[in-house]
């Protein structure tokens, strides 16, 4: 079996199915649950996402992000995140919807609500609302303003598919939050290509 060809065909199919779902449904949590199911189906195909295709980062780098498929330059975008234990991503939003499906390993997602009114630039107060252990067989989805943090514990490298309403590289106004300082700032993002 040609895993590269299979991966490309299934990723393109995910984009097409998602466009159909979005064309016939309002963007809400119920619609994201339909997309989340499709992402889970793809992440269950673990043979497509291994080290032989997508190298793990060095222990110092902690994360490699690979662009898998994209609809146009900035449209629907599917990435594979490969992360080392010890990787932490502070609370952040996406400014577009997101669905994450676990291929291998556990990613701890902590969800938050912003409880201040946003009237003081650079200041923010968050309240933790849930913790989700994202592991093979399950997924998580978020609307544009939802806030979450990520942590990789244990000793194993993790591989998860991240699917967004538009490319990470095109997003503007994403915020990273510092819980201890009660602050927020615009978040930078980068990507490695296949």
């Amino acid at each position: 079996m040609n895993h590269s060809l299979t991966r490309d065909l299934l990723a393109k199919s995910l984009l097409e199915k998602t466009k159909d779902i979005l064309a016939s449904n309002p963007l809400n949590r119920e619609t994201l649950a339909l997309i989340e199911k499709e992402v889970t189906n793809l992440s269950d195909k673990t043979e497509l996402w291994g080290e032989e295709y997508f190298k793990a980062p060095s222990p110092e780098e902690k994360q490699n992000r690979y662009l898998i498929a994209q609809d146009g330059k900035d449209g629907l975008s599917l990435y594979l995140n490969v992360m080392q234990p010890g990787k932490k991503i502070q609370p952040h939003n996406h400014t577009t919807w997101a669905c994450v499906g676990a291929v291998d390993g556990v990613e701890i997602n902590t969800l938050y609500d912003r409880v201040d009114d946003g009237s003081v630039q650079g200041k923010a107060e968050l309240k933790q609302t849930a913790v989700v252990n994202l592991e093979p067989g399950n997924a998580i989805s978020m609307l544009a303003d939802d806030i979450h943090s990520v942590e990789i514990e244990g000793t194993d490298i993790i591989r998860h598919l991240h699917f967004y309403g538009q490319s990470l590289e095109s997003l503007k106004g994403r915020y990273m939050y510092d819980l201890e300082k009660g602050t927020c700032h615009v978040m930078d993002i980068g990507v490695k290509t296949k």
Side-chain angles (χ1 to χ4, degrees), residues 24 27 33 45 59 80-81 95 107 133 138-139 141 159 180 184 187:
S24 57
L27 182 57
K45 297 179 180 5
L80 176 70
N81 270 351
T95 70
E107 177 184 293
N133 286 337
N138 71 357
S141 56
R159 295 170 184 275
E180 290 180 12
C184 61
M187 182 179 183

Side-chain angles (χ1 to χ4, degrees), residues 33-51:
L34 298 174
I35 298 169
E36 187 180 301
K37 182 178 177 184
E38 297 298 331
V39 173
T40 301
N41 289 339
L42 187 53
S43 65
D44 285 345
K45 297 179 180 5
T46 57
E47 70 277 6
L48 302 178
W49 311 109
E51 179 72 13

Side-chain angles (χ1 to χ4, degrees), residues 63-66 79-83 158-162:
Q63 177 178 1
N64 283 344
R65 180 182 298 111
Y66 296 94
Y79 303 86
L80 176 70
N81 270 351
V82 184
M83 294 189 275
I158 68 117
R159 295 170 184 275
H160 288 189
L161 292 175
H162 289 237

Side-chain angles (χ1 to χ4, degrees), residues 35-156:
I35 298 169
E36 187 180 301
K37 182 178 177 184
E38 297 298 331
V39 173
T40 301
N41 289 339
L42 187 53
S43 65
D44 285 345
K45 297 179 180 5
T46 57
E47 70 277 6
L48 302 178
W49 311 109
E51 179 72 13
E52 64 271 30
Y53 305 111
F54 303 101
K55 298 293 183 201
S58 70
E60 297 76 34
E61 275 188 322
K62 296 287 187 207
Q63 177 178 1
N64 283 344
R65 180 182 298 111
Y66 296 94
L67 178 61
I68 304 300
Q70 194 168 54
D71 183 38
K73 183 176 179 235
D74 296 323
L76 299 173
S77 298
L78 177 67
Y79 303 86
L80 176 70
N81 270 351
V82 184
M83 294 189 275
Q84 290 273 3
K87 175 68 177 176
K88 294 181 183 181
I89 304 172
Q90 289 181 291
H92 60 279
N93 67 346
H94 295 107
T95 70
T96 187
W97 60 263
C99 291
V100 182
V103 174
D104 191 29
V106 179
E107 177 184 293
I108 300 168
N109 281 257
T110 304
L111 306 176
Y112 303 89
D113 282 339
R114 185 168 180 176
V115 295
D116 68 295
D117 64 6
S119 62
V120 180
Q121 186 175 2
K123 298 290 185 184
E125 183 180 350
L126 303 183
K127 176 184 172 187
Q128 181 179 319
T129 59
V131 176
V132 177
N133 286 337
L134 185 55
E135 55 195 332
N138 71 357
I140 187 173
S141 56
M142 291 161 274
L143 292 167
D145 293 330
D146 289 346
I147 300 167
H148 77 134
S149 64
V150 173
E151 184 171 1
I152 312 305
E153 296 181 340
T155 58
D156 297 326

